[in-house]
Amino acid sequence: MAQRNQSSRAISITILLSLLLLHSLFHLAAASNDPDLDDLEELLAIDEEEENQRVMPHGKPSEADVLSRAQRIVLELTNENAQRVIDSNELLLLLGYAPWCPRSAELMPRFAEAATVLREMGSKVVMAKLDADRHAKAASSLGIKGFPTLLLFVNGSVQSYTGGFTGEEIMIWTRKKTGAPVQRLTSIPEAEEFLKTHPIFVIGYFDKFEGVEYEQFVKAATSENEIQFVEANDINIAKLLFPDIGAEKQFIGLVKNESEKFEKFTEKFEEGRILNFVNYNKFPLVTTLTEMNSARVYSSPIKTQVFIFAEADDIKNLLLSLQAVARKYKSKIMFVYVDSAEDNLAKPFLTLLGLESDHPIVAAFDNRDGSKYILETNLTPENLEVFCSSLDHGTLPQYYKSEPKPDSTGIIEKVVGKTFDASVLESAENVFLEVYTPWCIDCDATSKQIEKLAKHFKGHSNLKFARYDASLNENPKLQINNYPALLFYPAGDKSNPIKLSKKSSLKEMINFINEKVKIEDKSGPSTVDQEKKDEL
């Protein structure tokens, strides 16, 4: 990578972050009406010349220069010019966005940062954006269906973007997909500059850039979409990046800008093994969940994941102890921090668990089978260690959400996750159970039918009616997918409930119960039977 003035770049990025959130950013200068490649190169050449002539006293570009350069680096496509620009460029990375989309606004400055860096590195990739809301015809023809969308066009052929969403990750993915999967370092100053700009990377040291092992390294670099791979054949350069290199003639290591900084690859040099090594070690000891990295977190090969839900002030005091525990289970358990104040990130999990975030919460998920676990005690290093040890050894009881135990019963008993066994399975009575959810369209009408049914059989000692809200309760012995569900548990065989159709009429359900239940009403025949029959 060519050396760059770091303070100049920092100012550039800061200005971009402020300005590019506005919809007006990235438009071509008024004098540039034709966005063909020749015009773009001419504008960039003029821009470079002007930038060299008009700099601030200490070599820093002015704010106007930074904005002008950004306007020329990223092309604005329209219905009229989109296909022409794509066809006239060998390599083009397109951002499809909508002005009203928050994630588009979040991605735009990062896209600009990637465009700036790629330009400085001499990349031939043309960076462009399209307001897909305003230019719907072009968006449709290019296959842009959601916002934001990133697409890479290589000689007119399109491929979807599969990388990360920071400026660096966009830059890395683009370089890898356009012919530069590995960056070669040939001098100490170049390596020092590289260290300043890459918080995570894979270093490959080879005395010769040839052979089967080296080819496997390059293949892995090409397949891994998010992390920069770098190579060197000078041991001094390699040691600057990874000090613990020994006398090996070939070496691979992962470097991260955190407490667990260096990870050494010790297996056979094969593409799959290298990729597996990177995937298991690329995350921090405790990863902070964001909208931009959520897909990568969920798809991690480490399927057992411990989530810590806490506010930012709380996590500051907890982080060191969390890292200490996470270090013991590295590559076995992934630790993820979620800011509980971020509703869009925390609320889906907390709703799934049926919990409120009024204090730090620790939950574990096994993504292989969907099982859940909760730390029932206070979050301390000791309690977390016991929790993780039991989780790792498979001895931790699964968590099933439940409402609190109801205080009283009515004509229809409320059953929750914690009371399902005692109220239904262990009850000596025949149990007619209604399973519902508040969002179910048909549940309300069915509930009214069950209330009438319960009143009809009121007073019968060996029959009870129960109701279970499946949106707030779970029990491993009650697995229902469609609502409402009507289940009849015979007193003599609770292991084989009979499922009734939700379309059954009130008369049909009465006849069913009369057939299945031997009424033993000690007070004699019900005085309300005839009244209920009249109501029917």
Side-chain angles (χ1 to χ4, degrees), residues 202 212-213 215-221 223-224 229 250 252-254 263-282 301 331:
V202 174
V212 175
E213 289 81 4
E215 291 173 359
Q216 293 296 310
F217 173 74
V218 174
K219 285 183 178 180
S223 299
E224 169 40 61
F229 279 54
Q250 54 194 24
I252 296 176
L254 176 68
E263 300 288 348
K264 185 176 181 178
F265 179 69
T266 58
E267 300 180 55
K268 186 176 181 180
F269 281 36
E270 294 178 349
E271 178 188 1
R273 293 176 184 269
I274 297 170
L275 290 173
N276 197 53
F277 162 76
V278 173
N279 286 332
Y280 270 89
N281 291 282
K282 64 184 178 182
S331 298

Coordinates of all heavy atoms in Angstrom, one line a residue, residues 202 212-213 215-221 223-224 229 250 252-254 263-282 301 331:
V202 N -4.6 -11.3 8.4 CA -3.9 -12.6 8.4 C -2.5 -12.4 7.8 O -2.4 -11.8 6.6 CB -4.7 -13.7 7.7 CG1 -3.8 -14.9 7.6 CG2 -6.0 -13.9 8.4
V212 N 2.8 -25.5 -3.1 CA 1.5 -25.9 -2.8 C 0.9 -25.2 -1.6 O -0.2 -24.7 -1.6 CB 1.4 -27.5 -2.5 CG1 0.0 -27.9 -2.0 CG2 1.8 -28.2 -3.8
E213 N 1.8 -25.0 -0.5 CA 1.3 -24.4 0.7 C 1.0 -22.9 0.4 O 0.0 -22.4 0.9 CB 2.4 -24.4 1.8 CG 2.6 -25.8 2.4 CD 3.5 -26.7 1.5 OE1 4.0 -26.2 0.5 OE2 3.6 -27.9 1.9
E215 N 0.0 -21.7 -2.5 CA -1.2 -21.6 -3.3 C -2.4 -21.8 -2.4 O -3.5 -21.2 -2.7 CB -1.1 -22.7 -4.3 CG -0.1 -22.5 -5.4 CD 0.1 -23.7 -6.4 OE1 -0.6 -24.7 -6.1 OE2 0.9 -23.6 -7.3
Q216 N -2.3 -22.7 -1.4 CA -3.5 -22.8 -0.5 C -3.7 -21.6 0.3 O -4.9 -21.2 0.6 CB -3.2 -24.0 0.5 CG -3.2 -25.4 -0.2 CD -4.5 -25.7 -0.8 OE1 -5.5 -25.7 -0.1 NE2 -4.5 -26.1 -2.0
F217 N -2.7 -20.9 0.7 CA -2.8 -19.6 1.4 C -3.6 -18.6 0.5 O -4.5 -17.9 1.0 CB -1.4 -19.1 1.8 CG -1.4 -17.7 2.4 CD1 -1.8 -17.5 3.7 CD2 -1.0 -16.6 1.6 CE1 -1.8 -16.2 4.2 CE2 -0.9 -15.3 2.1 CZ -1.4 -15.1 3.4
V218 N -3.2 -18.5 -0.7 CA -3.8 -17.5 -1.7 C -5.3 -17.9 -1.9 O -6.2 -17.1 -1.9 CB -3.1 -17.5 -3.0 CG1 -3.8 -16.6 -4.0 CG2 -1.7 -16.9 -2.8
K219 N -5.6 -19.2 -2.0 CA -7.0 -19.7 -2.1 C -7.8 -19.3 -0.9 O -9.0 -18.8 -1.1 CB -7.0 -21.2 -2.3 CG -6.6 -21.7 -3.7 CD -6.7 -23.2 -3.8 CE -6.4 -23.7 -5.2 NZ -6.5 -25.1 -5.3
A220 N -7.3 -19.4 0.3 CA -8.0 -19.0 1.5 C -8.2 -17.5 1.5 O -9.3 -17.1 1.9 CB -7.2 -19.5 2.7
A221 N -7.2 -16.8 1.1 CA -7.3 -15.3 1.0 C -8.4 -14.9 0.1 O -9.2 -14.0 0.3 CB -6.0 -14.7 0.6
S223 N -11.1 -16.7 -0.7 CA -12.4 -17.2 -0.2 C -12.9 -16.4 1.0 O -14.1 -16.1 1.1 CB -12.3 -18.7 0.2 OG -12.0 -19.5 -0.9
E224 N -12.0 -15.9 1.8 CA -12.4 -15.2 3.0 C -12.7 -13.7 2.6 O -11.8 -13.0 2.1 CB -11.2 -15.2 4.0 CG -11.2 -14.3 5.2 CD -12.5 -14.1 5.9 OE1 -13.1 -15.1 6.4 OE2 -13.0 -12.9 5.9
F229 N -5.7 -10.3 3.9 CA -4.5 -11.2 4.0 C -3.3 -10.5 3.5 O -3.4 -9.7 2.5 CB -4.7 -12.5 3.1 CG -5.6 -13.5 3.8 CD1 -6.8 -13.3 4.3 CD2 -5.1 -14.8 3.9 CE1 -7.6 -14.2 4.9 CE2 -5.8 -15.8 4.5 CZ -7.1 -15.5 5.0
Q250 N 7.8 -21.1 6.5 CA 6.5 -20.6 6.2 C 5.6 -20.6 7.4 O 5.8 -21.4 8.3 CB 5.8 -21.5 5.1 CG 5.8 -23.0 5.5 CD 5.5 -23.9 4.3 OE1 5.7 -23.5 3.2 NE2 5.0 -25.1 4.6
I252 N 1.7 -18.8 9.1 CA 0.4 -18.1 9.0 C 0.0 -17.7 10.4 O 0.0 -18.5 11.4 CB -0.6 -18.9 8.3 CG1 -0.3 -19.2 6.9 CG2 -2.0 -18.2 8.4 CD1 -1.2 -20.2 6.2
G253 N -0.4 -16.5 10.6 CA -0.9 -16.0 11.9 C -2.0 -15.0 11.7 O -2.1 -14.3 10.7
L254 N -2.9 -14.9 12.7 CA -4.0 -13.9 12.7 C -3.6 -12.9 13.8 O -3.3 -13.2 14.9 CB -5.3 -14.6 13.1 CG -6.5 -13.7 13.2 CD1 -6.9 -13.1 11.9 CD2 -7.7 -14.5 13.8
E263 N -2.7 -15.0 17.1 CA -3.2 -16.3 17.0 C -2.3 -17.0 16.0 O -2.3 -16.6 14.8 CB -4.7 -16.4 16.7 CG -5.6 -15.8 17.7 CD -5.7 -16.5 19.0 OE1 -5.3 -17.7 19.0 OE2 -6.3 -16.0 19.9
K264 N -1.7 -18.1 16.3 CA -0.8 -18.8 15.4 C -1.5 -20.0 14.8 O -2.0 -20.8 15.5 CB 0.5 -19.2 16.2 CG 1.6 -19.9 15.3 CD 2.8 -20.2 16.1 CE 3.9 -20.8 15.2 NZ 5.2 -21.0 16.0
F265 N -1.4 -20.2 13.5 CA -1.9 -21.3 12.8 C -0.9 -22.5 12.9 O 0.2 -22.3 12.5 CB -2.2 -20.9 11.3 CG -2.8 -22.1 10.5 CD1 -4.0 -22.5 10.7 CD2 -2.0 -22.7 9.5 CE1 -4.6 -23.6 10.0 CE2 -2.5 -23.7 8.7 CZ -3.8 -24.1 9.0
T266 N -1.4 -23.6 13.3 CA -0.5 -24.7 13.6 C -0.8 -26.0 12.8 O -0.2 -27.1 13.0 CB -0.5 -25.1 15.1 OG1 -1.8 -25.4 15.5 CG2 0.1 -23.9 15.9
E267 N -1.8 -25.9 11.9 CA -2.2 -27.1 11.2 C -1.6 -27.2 9.8 O -0.8 -26.3 9.4 CB -3.8 -27.1 11.1 CG -4.5 -27.1 12.4 CD -6.0 -27.1 12.3 OE1 -6.5 -28.0 11.6 OE2 -6.6 -26.2 12.8
K268 N -2.0 -28.2 9.1 CA -1.5 -28.3 7.7 C -2.1 -27.2 6.8 O -3.2 -26.8 6.9 CB -2.0 -29.7 7.1 CG -1.4 -30.0 5.8 CD -1.9 -31.4 5.3 CE -1.3 -31.8 4.0 NZ -1.7 -33.1 3.5
F269 N -1.2 -26.7 5.9 CA -1.6 -25.6 5.1 C -2.5 -26.0 4.0 O -2.1 -26.4 2.9 CB -0.3 -25.0 4.5 CG 0.5 -24.1 5.4 CD1 0.6 -24.4 6.7 CD2 1.1 -22.9 4.9 CE1 1.3 -23.5 7.6 CE2 1.8 -22.1 5.8 CZ 1.9 -22.4 7.1
E270 N -3.8 -26.0 4.3 CA -4.9 -26.3 3.4 C -5.9 -25.2 3.5 O -6.2 -24.7 4.5 CB -5.5 -27.7 3.7 CG -4.6 -28.9 3.5 CD -5.2 -30.2 3.9 OE1 -6.3 -30.1 4.5 OE2 -4.7 -31.2 3.6
E271 N -6.5 -24.9 2.3 CA -7.5 -23.8 2.3 C -8.6 -23.9 3.4 O -8.8 -23.0 4.1 CB -8.2 -23.7 0.9 CG -9.2 -22.7 0.8 CD -10.0 -22.7 -0.5 OE1 -9.7 -23.6 -1.3 OE2 -10.9 -21.9 -0.7
G272 N -9.2 -25.1 3.5 CA -10.3 -25.3 4.4 C -9.8 -25.1 5.9 O -10.5 -24.5 6.7
R273 N -8.6 -25.7 6.2 CA -8.1 -25.5 7.5 C -7.8 -24.1 7.9 O -8.0 -23.6 9.0 CB -6.9 -26.4 7.7 CG -7.2 -27.9 7.7 CD -5.9 -28.7 7.7 NE -6.1 -30.1 7.6 CZ -6.4 -31.0 8.6 NH1 -6.4 -30.5 9.8 NH2 -6.6 -32.3 8.3
I274 N -7.2 -23.4 6.9 CA -6.9 -22.0 7.1 C -8.2 -21.2 7.4 O -8.2 -20.3 8.3 CB -6.1 -21.4 5.9 CG1 -4.8 -22.1 5.8 CG2 -5.9 -19.9 6.1 CD1 -4.0 -21.8 4.5
L275 N -9.2 -21.4 6.5 CA -10.4 -20.7 6.7 C -11.1 -21.0 8.0 O -11.7 -20.1 8.7 CB -11.4 -21.0 5.5 CG -11.0 -20.5 4.1 CD1 -11.9 -21.0 3.1 CD2 -11.0 -18.9 4.1
N276 N -11.1 -22.2 8.4 CA -11.6 -22.6 9.7 C -10.9 -21.9 10.8 O -11.5 -21.4 11.8 CB -11.5 -24.1 9.8 CG -12.4 -24.7 10.9 OD1 -13.6 -24.4 10.9 ND2 -11.9 -25.4 11.9
F277 N -9.6 -21.9 10.8 CA -8.8 -21.2 11.8 C -9.2 -19.7 11.9 O -9.4 -19.1 13.0 CB -7.3 -21.3 11.4 CG -6.4 -20.3 12.1 CD1 -6.1 -20.4 13.4 CD2 -5.9 -19.2 11.4 CE1 -5.2 -19.5 14.0 CE2 -5.1 -18.3 12.0 CZ -4.7 -18.4 13.3
V278 N -9.4 -19.0 10.7 CA -9.8 -17.6 10.7 C -11.2 -17.4 11.3 O -11.4 -16.6 12.1 CB -9.7 -17.1 9.3 CG1 -10.2 -15.6 9.2 CG2 -8.2 -17.1 8.8
N279 N -12.1 -18.3 10.9 CA -13.5 -18.1 11.3 C -13.6 -18.4 12.8 O -14.5 -17.7 13.4 CB -14.4 -19.1 10.5 CG -14.6 -18.7 9.1 OD1 -14.6 -17.5 8.8 ND2 -14.8 -19.7 8.2
Y280 N -12.8 -19.2 13.4 CA -13.0 -19.5 14.8 C -12.2 -18.4 15.7 O -12.5 -18.3 16.9 CB -12.4 -20.9 15.1 CG -13.4 -22.0 15.1 CD1 -13.7 -22.6 13.9 CD2 -14.2 -22.3 16.2 CE1 -14.7 -23.6 13.8 CE2 -15.2 -23.3 16.1 CZ -15.4 -24.0 14.9 OH -16.4 -24.9 14.9
N281 N -11.4 -17.7 15.0 CA -10.5 -16.8 15.8 C -10.7 -15.3 15.5 O -10.0 -14.4 16.1 CB -9.0 -17.2 15.7 CG -8.7 -18.5 16.4 OD1 -8.6 -18.6 17.6 ND2 -8.6 -19.5 15.6
K282 N -11.5 -14.9 14.5 CA -11.5 -13.6 14.0 C -12.3 -12.6 14.9 O -12.1 -11.4 14.9 CB -12.0 -13.5 12.6 CG -13.5 -13.9 12.4 CD -13.9 -13.9 11.0 CE -15.3 -14.4 10.7 NZ -15.7 -14.4 9.3
P301 N -19.2 -20.2 13.1 CA -19.1 -21.7 13.2 C -19.2 -22.1 14.7 O -19.4 -23.2 15.0 CB -17.8 -22.0 12.6 CG -17.0 -20.8 12.7 CD -18.0 -19.7 12.5
S331 N -13.0 -20.5 21.2 CA -13.3 -21.5 20.1 C -14.3 -22.5 20.5 O -14.7 -23.3 19.7 CB -12.0 -22.3 19.7 OG -11.0 -21.4 19.2

